Amino acid sequence: MTDQPSQRSFVSTGQPVDELAVAEIKSDILAKLRLAIGKEASQATQQDWYHAAALTLRDRIVHRWLTADKESYDAGRKRVYYLSLEFLIGRLFTDALNNMGLMRVFETALGDLGVGLQDLRKCEPDAALGNGGLGRLAACFMESMSTLQIPAIGYGIRYDFGLFRQVIVDGWQHEYPDVWLSFGNPWEFQRPEVVYHVHFGGGVEHVDDKGRDRAIWHPGETVQAVAYDTPIVGWRGQHVNALRLWSARSPDPLKLDVFNSGDYLGASAEEARAEAICKFLYPNDESPAGRELRLRQEYFFVSASLQDLVKRHLGSEGQLRSLAQKAAVQLNDTHPSLAVAELMRILVDLHNFRWDEAWKVTVATLSYTNHTLLPEALETWPVELFERLLPRHLEIIYRINAQHLALAEQRAPGDIDYRASVSLIDEKSGRRVRMGQLAFVGSHRINGVSAMHSDLMKETVFHDLNHLYPGRITNKTNGITFRRWLTLANPKLTSLLREACGDAVVDDPTLLTSLESYVADSSFHQKFRAVKHHNKVQLARLISERMNVRLDPSALFDVQIKRIHEYKRQLLNILEAVALYLDIKDDPQANRVPRVKIFAGKAAASYRYAKLIIKLINDVAEVVNNDPAIGGKLKVVFMADYNVSLAETIIPAADLSEQISTAGMEASGTGNMKLALNGAITIGTLDGANIEIRDNVGIENIAIFGMEAGDVMLRRKQGLDATDIIRRSPRLGRAIDAIANGAFSPGEPGRFEPIAHALRHLDHYMVSADFDSYYEAQRGVDARWQTTPAWTRASILNVARMAWFSSDRTIREYADDIWNVPVGASAAPPRAQRA
């Protein structure tokens, strides 16, 4: 669990608190404490008070939830079903209080009962049901769909332990189970009556059914999917949608005869195998068993979700031919791609659709969001594994592919390479099913998540598919929910914005533009800087408590918070820190900007190189932070176990936002949006949504460096050896030598030789190639920081010009262009205009 600074306070509306409402809340909390928790107030722990308060709030949410659900069904409205393997929802208590407009009422009621709201929010664990931007995006989208009153259900997996809890021991990442459910979850409703059977293995029988070939799947294993529903509250509480997560169990949890024979472990083996599906997010897929579990997870939640939405549709419409008119299914990344084959199986095998008719319904119903241009991230599965685990689906994929390749032959007769490129089966790498291709072929819309990403999709990973199915690719630049990432995360800035822009700014982010009239107002500058300083003091206190590292809040807080991956280039950031440290050592008396480099993020458990980068960051921190010769002009901090709640503390305190991915490799990013919205100036490459941030905030209010995507592709063709680059850059060479020669690992001088070798000879992610440009851009940042009015002006303009990056805008675009669903009539601040 991530502790937040206890001094945190929430935004006041300026309105008096309704005393009757406070009395009612107090009474209800005490009743929940006694009747639901089974304790008197004098015996209650903080955890008990939290559960009682959460259940009291949940009661108020449920009334609106049931009303909204009934109204949408009565009106026959089309529904959106959002399938995602990740939902990084964070803590829900204060988020729901904020959206329901009950923050001050609950804060007052709890205070009267002798309980602090800020203390209770620490009792709620972060549900680690995601790894980073993908899962957080899904959470933002669910909140925006509720805010815009679009009837929707999110579907995913109820992981028992989520991703993992990251612990840093001697600088190394260690992974432990994240026991987020150890005290129960007051937000979810178990639905024991909602159970679907998900099948695996076995074989397929083909029979003649009145002249038609009919496939009958005889599975070898059945797992039950049990539903758990969590309400997702929209802004002002006007609409509530559901997040439905599936838990796995065996239909026969205990073989009693085996148990009675004395084989106690064997008696529950089937239950253990079933439950493994929902134990952890992203099991290590280096082993065959890990790969099989990953595929089982993906099919499990896809099958349960499609069965559920089909049942809902039949219940309201009585037939499935109108499915695409009443249901829009969004596949968030390749993980739910099996929905293409599964929906075909349901329509053809279970509901007797003819193939062509089923295919039209499937394509019209499904749409696919691509989040990566990395070929290795576009999942593929061995045909042998598919055949063993999902034999009927492999047959369906083969038939889809035959039809698909026939179209390819019509478009490019005799072009074998073209057919191989678009095929759903990769024949060159040991015969593998390409899930990205499957999702593309089976969807009527395929969207990228930034303008650059969508354009590159057409030119790179989906070039030939775009030629075969022109017009399917569209762009939907990502967005973030301002309710979480401004109103809740940064209450002091929100209060200042309400003072400057009017109270309506919390409903309509386009009003942020009125901040531009204050860019020359020295009094406003002073207030703005005071808010940032307060947030930095809070973060510095948290770091001191956790890590015993003292920070100067007047230093420049330089933040890179995201999952650890080579293409995100935390290595470039720490390499610059090493070079800067050596420069300071050369001339300790030089006038330099004090800087704190703050890192946070998790490396995948099997990603050894990324874990070595974490070790390097921590080893550099150990040397730099304890060197009195540099006079505290540089500090390096790696904050463990990064999650949503920790982000809510770091982001408001950031001065500089590191968005330094290798150009052409970051699809969009959303951390860049959150940080800019909170007044951080971005240093970044022209990659992902950085380009659109530049276009909105202005080139003078962002720090751009490095190669562009085309330059990166050209350099890769020319070679990855960086020897000549290093020869021309003495500063870079010295920093690499220091890492390689054990300056930061004296007990093991060769520890970082793999990193040094890659920087010199295998510079795939252009760390060495971009180093000098990055270093100079950072010195430009230093110069701007030393001119306080200029920095404050740029920071204010970043906030003022970020309205377009609201997830409400993104969801409106999905609703208009992909889902064909109306936005609720009363939901709606005006649209933000893109620069």
Side-chain angles (χ1 to χ4, degrees), residues 705-720:
F705 75 93
M707 290 185 289
E708 297 185 24
D711 303 323
V712 170
M713 287 188 278
L714 180 60
R715 172 153 181 83
R716 286 206 178 117
K717 291 178 182 177
Q718 293 171 343
L720 300 177

Side-chain angles (χ1 to χ4, degrees), residues 428-443:
K428 297 178 180 178
S429 304
R431 302 200 72 229
R432 302 179 69 89
V433 182
R434 294 164 159 169
M435 304 309 288
Q437 321 283 83
L438 177 64
F440 192 111
V441 172
S443 299

Side-chain angles (χ1 to χ4, degrees), residues 582-593 628-631 633:
L582 296 175
D583 286 353
I584 296 172
K585 291 277 284 183
D586 286 345
D587 186 3
Q589 304 308 315
N591 180 29
R592 295 185 184 275
V593 171
I630 65 171
K633 291 177 181 175

Side-chain angles (χ1 to χ4, degrees), residues 817-829:
D817 184 42
I818 297 178
W819 301 334
N820 190 29
V821 298
V823 170
S826 60

Side-chain angles (χ1 to χ4, degrees), residues 308-327:
D308 191 52
L309 72 88
V310 164
K311 182 179 178 181
R312 287 171 179 271
H313 182 81
L314 287 172
S316 61
E317 304 297 321
Q319 46 77 31
L320 288 175
R321 282 167 177 79
S322 64
L323 184 63
Q325 285 73 54
K326 293 294 184 179

